Amino acid sequence: MNVTQPDVLRVRPHRIRLVCWVAAALVVIVFTAVATSLRGPIGEGAATFQAGDQWAMIGLGVLLALGVLSLTRPRVIADTRHIRIRNVVGGYDLPWEVVRAVRFERGAPWVTLELQDDDIVAVMAVQAADKDRAVAAVQALRALLDASRAAANG
């Protein structure tokens, strides 16, 4: 959890970012190692690998690593007026007036917002794997929701 302004909350997942960066580095290393081991004919009737094939293999490793890093995309920016959610795919910019509750169910992988129209919005930036950070983020989100309601009521 990173609070940069008094009433602005910025949250990104912590543990999954660490895991993804390590995994992305390992993917590039493995694909590079495989690419450098692909040299010339291996046996009779075996395929011949050229420098272009090796570079293509490294390029595939980089593309896969970028795919892994896309899992680090989630984040939340919230203040007393609205909440901006960016998940792995897609995002939301919601005023607090449409949010009924901030929910963090036991066993759930991440926080959800229950909206006034009974829709549920996933907040993947606040993940259960982050434990105390996630609890602090939920408390901060609930405080912002309460502050928004108080401001709307007078």
Side-chain angles (χ1 to χ4, degrees), residues 75-118:
R75 71 181 54 180
V76 169
I77 301 172
D79 58 24
T80 56
R81 290 178 286 126
H82 66 280
I83 179 170
R84 273 191 215 114
I85 303 162
R86 186 170 79 181
N87 289 328
V88 175
V89 177
Y92 302 90
D93 191 355
L94 303 168
W96 282 113
E97 291 82 28
V98 302
V99 178
R100 183 182 299 157
V102 177
R103 300 175 64 179
F104 196 20
E105 303 289 328
R106 181 177 298 278
W110 46 71
V111 169
T112 57
L113 298 180
E114 182 180 345
L115 304 183
Q116 296 294 345
D117 62 359
D118 293 328

Side-chain angles (χ1 to χ4, degrees), residues 4 13 23 30-31 65 73 119 126 140 143:
T4 56
V30 167
F31 272 74
R73 188 174 185 268
D119 279 345
V126 184

Side-chain angles (χ1 to χ4, degrees), residues 2-42:
N2 181 15
V3 181
T4 56
Q5 298 170 3
D7 294 336
V8 176
L9 174 71
R10 297 177 192 274
V11 181
R12 293 184 71 186
H14 180 72
R15 186 165 288 168
I16 192 73
R17 286 179 41 215
L18 188 64
V19 169
C20 285
W21 278 100
V22 170
L26 287 175
V27 165
V28 171
I29 290 168
V30 167
F31 272 74
T32 303
V34 169
T36 57
S37 69
L38 299 175
R39 294 188 184 169
I42 297 171

Side-chain angles (χ1 to χ4, degrees), residues 28-72:
V28 171
I29 290 168
V30 167
F31 272 74
T32 303
V34 169
T36 57
S37 69
L38 299 175
R39 294 188 184 169
I42 297 171
E44 190 173 321
T48 303
F49 294 99
Q50 305 294 323
D53 299 320
Q54 292 174 320
W55 284 108
M57 182 66 78
I58 294 169
L60 283 173
V62 169
L63 287 176
L64 282 173
L66 290 173
V68 169
L69 289 177
S70 72
L71 299 175
T72 66

